[in-house]
Amino acid sequence: MVRSTVGDDASKDTQPPHRRRGVRVCARYLTLGIATLFAALTLIAAQVASAEPRHGIAMHGEPALPAGTSLPYVNPQAPKGGVLTFGIVGSFDSLNPFIIKGAAARGLRDSVFGNNVFESLLERSYDEPFSLYGLLAETVDMPDDRSWVEFTLNPKARFSDGNPVTVDDVIFSFEVLRDKGRPNNRSYYGKVATVERKGEHGIRFSFPDANDRELPLILGLMPILPAHKFDRKTFEQTTLEPLFCSGPYTVAEVEPGSRIVLQRNPDYWAADLPIKAGMHNFDTLRFDYFRDQTTLFEAFKKGLVDVMPESDPGRWASGYDIPAVADGRIIKEGFETGTPKGMFGFVFNTRRTQFADARVREAFGYLFDFAWVNTNLYFDLYKRTTSYFEGSELASTGRAADERERELLGPFDGAVRADILEGKWLPPTTDGSGRDRKALREAVRLLGEAGWRIKDRKLVNEAGEPFSFEVLIATRDQERLALAFSRTLTLIGMEVNVRSVDSAQYQRRVQVFDYDMILTTWYASLSPGNEQSFRWSVASADQDGTFNFAGAREPALDAMIAAMLSARARTDFVSAVRAFDRVLLSGFYVVPLFHLPDAWVARWRTMEHPSKTSLYGNRFDTWWHGDDR
């Protein structure tokens, strides 16, 4: 019998030693290559697995509500019907809320009164810091790195004219808002690299280089406009033509500048969705416009307006001493919120020469006598604001910067003052006299360091030019406060002109930064992010229509915003926001003023609301018309 020499053993025995070593090395690298490939495939599979369709998404962690449940701050059994009339101070000349031109009518898409006409792909829950649930989009997918987001439209979604909401409408909305919308929309949507159709109802937005973990949620909140209704060429122009979208209401009546009436759509496509249970309960929403708060309040007392959100402590303390309150026909309530109080203040336009020096801006803080103002104008009902995120864990005041904050701020030497870094800074306190000499001396010292001195009772610079400026205001409440402040400013020789203009002119001037100083509020949430670029980025300082009212051009602010957007863990996010707060406070862009402890609302008793208040406070789109008992 002949034995074969082709077997494994014979093969090994007959190979030269160097050949045998080469075979072993090749085998080793082949094994490593297979392992690497397997690891890569495993990673890809994990990413795909993490991008399963879901009913909702959250900025950090997972959304709190399971699929098919109603919002926790609604009454799912709320009755439908009736009329709710709101009062608005000012005027309007446009029904398009997505452009910078004109003064848009309230209530169409509104953070206070609800998204009554224009809807988004996803619906926000106001009982969570930042969570969204399916609406026009039935499901949403995204990978762990959030480099893309994919929405699948609900096949039942319809515009008010009965046409289906399609992928084409989503693409149109994205493109027209990116190219012609407000600056914040242009900025957000400009980060998207590609848009892809995914079947009949799906659309994917990809942004691999954005490093922005909030962007999937921002896109989820994008309003979806009917492509067959809007003209791309004229989108930027104001219009008073009644617009429609997919929302629960349509525009039924328009009286330019004085009234807009919305009518509930009986064929609203989402009426039976659990996420909409207990919402949009009135048949009619009316928005009547008034010249000022006094006129509006008189209309409310006569029953011409149903609800009165109140911000005037004087009126809240004594103005409601009327029979309708005494006998219970009008009810006064305070709604607690779990959100930051925001920043309300006198804002310096640092584009103006007289406000370019931070020492000048800091001096104004010593000239505002909060104690006097609170006692004499507001019945001691206000609390002083010390942070842009007052009343939350995001506020930096009262706590030293942690290690992560110091790491973020490290590259920006001088962007944060030492006392603010250590959490020791607070707005100056006064004796409440309205002419605190110690505070006045400190203000004069800071102004002197910046090149200003008092000569012949006038504050002048080295060239002898007076320190003069205008405070632009739009309401009587603002005027009263500005006049009180100006009286103190004149004590050290400043020339201050308080100028009142109508709401339309005010909005036009503010949009192009045509002012020296204004009074304004930046509202804050528990999940600040992209909107801060619209308010504080270097790029926004020279962009008309942004909310960078102060003209801030501090690179550290951009870096802290980027850190917020890239944070994966809540702890890192909180550190980034606190560092951001410290940079803002160090810039002295505003004279921080005050805030109410609760949100005050007076209502006629026929207007009812759920017993539970959301984390973000009262929501008018959950109210209903009750019995007149």
Side-chain angles (χ1 to χ4, degrees):
M1 186 171 79
V2 178
R3 178 178 293 181
S4 171
T5 60
V6 186
D8 290 342
D9 291 341
S11 175
K12 291 177 183 178
D13 290 342
T14 57
Q15 292 286 337
H18 70 279
R19 293 284 303 276
R20 292 199 298 270
R21 286 195 299 273
V23 170
R24 288 197 296 271
V25 171
C26 289
R28 188 179 303 119
Y29 278 107
L30 180 60
T31 302
L32 288 173
I34 293 172
T36 302
L37 177 61
F38 179 77
L41 291 173
T42 301
L43 178 60
I44 292 172
Q47 288 180 339
V48 172
S50 69
E52 295 177 353
R54 62 192 83 178
H55 71 289
I57 53 176
M59 182 61 196
H60 297 103
E62 294 297 325
L65 300 179
T69 57
S70 60
L71 295 167
Y73 50 88
V74 304
N75 173 11
Q77 284 75 48
K80 305 290 185 182
V83 178
L84 174 58
T85 301
F86 295 104
I88 310 294
V89 173
S91 182
F92 69 92
D93 59 9
S94 178
L95 298 186
N96 186 344
F98 308 114
I99 58 175
I100 64 172
K101 291 183 178 179
R106 299 293 303 272
L108 304 176
R109 182 176 174 85
D110 201 296
S111 61
V112 175
F113 304 117
N115 298 335
N116 297 305
V117 174
F118 299 98
E119 287 186 320
S120 302
L121 292 163
L122 305 178
E123 177 84 356
R124 184 165 189 168
S125 168
Y126 286 94
D127 215 39
E128 303 170 57
F130 196 6
S131 292
L132 307 177
Y133 297 89
L135 184 58
L136 290 174
E138 193 170 30
T139 61
V140 55
D141 313 344
M142 63 181 181
D144 181 66
D145 66 1
R146 299 194 180 187
S147 59
W148 54 264
V149 63
E150 184 173 318
F151 302 98
T152 301
L153 296 178
N154 191 323
K156 298 178 181 179
R158 294 288 185 276
F159 292 113
S160 297
D161 64 351
N163 281 300
V165 179
T166 67
V167 171
D168 286 333
D169 295 307
V170 179
I171 294 174
F172 168 81
S173 303
F174 167 76
E175 291 178 345
V176 77
L177 293 171
R178 179 197 61 192
D179 299 338
K180 298 191 174 187
R182 296 186 66 88
N184 56 328
N185 290 328
R186 300 185 192 196
S187 174
Y188 304 158
Y189 305 155
K191 297 179 181 181
V192 175
T194 60
V195 180
E196 306 171 70
R197 297 173 182 270
K198 292 291 182 178
E200 183 181 359
H201 298 294
I203 185 168
R204 177 181 291 191
F205 298 92
S206 298
F207 29 88
D209 301 322
N211 194 30
D212 183 347
R213 295 184 62 79
E214 189 184 38
L215 192 51
L217 286 84
I218 295 295
L219 289 166
L221 290 176
M222 178 172 62
I224 305 305
L225 313 175
H228 62 282
K229 175 64 175 178
F230 285 82
D231 186 340
R232 189 188 299 262
K233 294 180 180 179
T234 61
F235 184 79
E236 292 175 281
Q237 302 302 315
T238 61
T239 179
L240 288 171
E241 178 187 356
L243 303 174
F244 66 83
C245 197
S246 62
Y249 290 88
T250 58
V251 178
E253 179 185 343
V254 178
E255 293 182 22
S258 60
R259 174 180 298 163
I260 182 168
V261 179
L262 306 182
Q263 199 70 31
R264 189 154 58 88
N265 179 11
D267 300 318
Y268 175 46
W269 75 273
D272 296 327
L273 289 185
I275 197 70
K276 285 293 184 178
M279 299 183 68
H280 314 300
N281 302 311
F282 293 92
D283 285 340
T284 304
L285 299 178
R286 282 180 43 147
F287 298 86
D288 288 338
Y289 283 73
F290 296 87
R291 183 177 65 255
D292 51 48
Q293 284 285 347
T294 301
T295 309
L296 168 56
F297 185 52
E298 291 303 315
F300 171 72
K301 290 192 294 184
K302 293 176 181 178
L304 301 177
V305 172
D306 294 314
V307 295
M308 184 79 182
E310 187 58 78
S311 59
D312 185 341
R315 190 159 50 230
W316 190 253
S318 60
Y320 290 83
D321 293 336
I322 56 177
V325 174
D327 62 24
R329 286 176 293 146
I330 289 179
I331 299 170
K332 295 170 61 182
E333 294 180 288
F335 293 89
E336 293 185 5
T337 66
T339 58
K341 304 303 181 184
M343 175 59 76
F344 170 55
F346 285 101
V347 184
F348 304 99
N349 186 351
T350 63
R351 305 171 186 87
R352 299 290 201 254
T353 303
Q354 64 266 45
F355 295 136
D357 194 312
R359 292 169 296 187
V360 170
R361 304 194 296 269
E362 183 182 0
F364 273 73
Y366 288 92
L367 298 170
F368 180 72
D369 193 334
F370 168 71
W372 186 93
V373 167
N374 199 30
T375 298
N376 289 277
L377 300 185
Y378 303 123
F379 295 81
D380 285 323
L381 291 175
Y382 275 124
K383 293 185 178 180
R384 191 72 191 269
T385 300
T386 65
S387 163
Y388 285 78
F389 303 95
E390 182 79 26
S392 75
E393 65 172 342
L394 304 177
S396 66
T397 45
R399 51 168 66 94
D402 60 30
E403 184 177 345
R404 176 57 177 158
E405 289 180 70
R406 295 173 190 271
E407 179 184 348
L408 290 170
L409 294 168
F412 303 97
D413 185 39
V416 174
R417 286 197 351 184
D419 55 341
I420 293 176
L421 189 68
E422 297 303 324
K424 297 179 180 179
W425 177 87
L426 288 172
T429 57
T430 59
D431 61 11
S433 66
R435 50 194 312 126
D436 186 321
R437 292 184 176 274
K438 182 178 179 181
L440 291 172
R441 283 196 298 269
E442 183 60 20
V444 171
R445 183 189 69 79
L446 287 166
L447 289 164
E449 290 182 1
W452 297 90
R453 60 192 179 92
I454 299 176
K455 182 180 180 181
D456 298 329
R457 294 190 174 184
K458 297 290 185 182
L459 187 67
V460 297
N461 60 16
E462 294 180 357
E465 299 168 332
F467 194 109
S468 63
F469 68 98
E470 178 182 271
V471 185
L472 185 68
I473 53 97
T475 69
R476 289 187 178 179
D477 289 341
Q478 289 183 350
E479 183 178 39
R480 180 173 60 161
L481 180 56
L483 288 172
F485 190 25
S486 69
R487 283 193 289 270
T488 304
L489 299 175
T490 58
L491 292 176
I492 61 168
M494 290 186 179
E495 296 179 3
V496 188
N497 176 35
V498 177
R499 183 174 182 185
S500 175
V501 297
D502 63 65
S503 60
Q505 184 180 356
Y506 180 85
Q507 185 165 338
R508 284 193 296 269
R509 288 187 59 177
V510 167
Q511 286 177 343
V512 297
F513 312 123
D514 181 19
Y515 52 83
D516 300 328
M517 176 182 284
I518 58 172
L519 269 164
T520 199
T521 300
W522 287 282
Y523 295 102
S525 75
L526 290 168
S527 185
N530 272 287
E531 79 284 351
Q532 302 302 324
S533 293
F534 190 59
R535 302 174 179 184
W536 296 108
S537 69
V538 173
S540 67
D542 298 313
Q543 227 178 343
D544 289 353
T546 71
F547 293 166
N548 192 342
F549 303 121
R553 293 181 176 87
E554 172 54 65
L557 292 172
D558 288 60
M560 298 311 110
I561 294 170
M564 292 182 218
L565 297 178
S566 62
R568 288 174 173 258
R570 179 72 184 179
T571 52
D572 286 341
F573 175 76
V574 170
S575 293
V577 178
R578 289 178 183 171
F580 178 68
D581 189 33
R582 295 183 202 277
V583 178
L584 287 174
L585 293 173
S586 298
F588 294 97
Y589 299 109
V590 306
V591 177
L593 295 181
F594 38 72
H595 59 274
L596 296 173
D598 297 317
W600 297 331
V601 178
R603 61 180 171 91
W604 285 88
R605 70 183 179 193
T606 52
M607 302 296 121
E608 298 188 15
H609 59 77
S611 57
K612 176 178 171 54
T613 303
S614 82
L615 182 66
Y616 279 75
N618 169 58
R619 299 294 308 169
F620 284 118
D621 50 8
T622 67
W623 287 39
W624 66 90
H625 197 288
D627 297 329
D628 188 8
R629 57 187 184 277

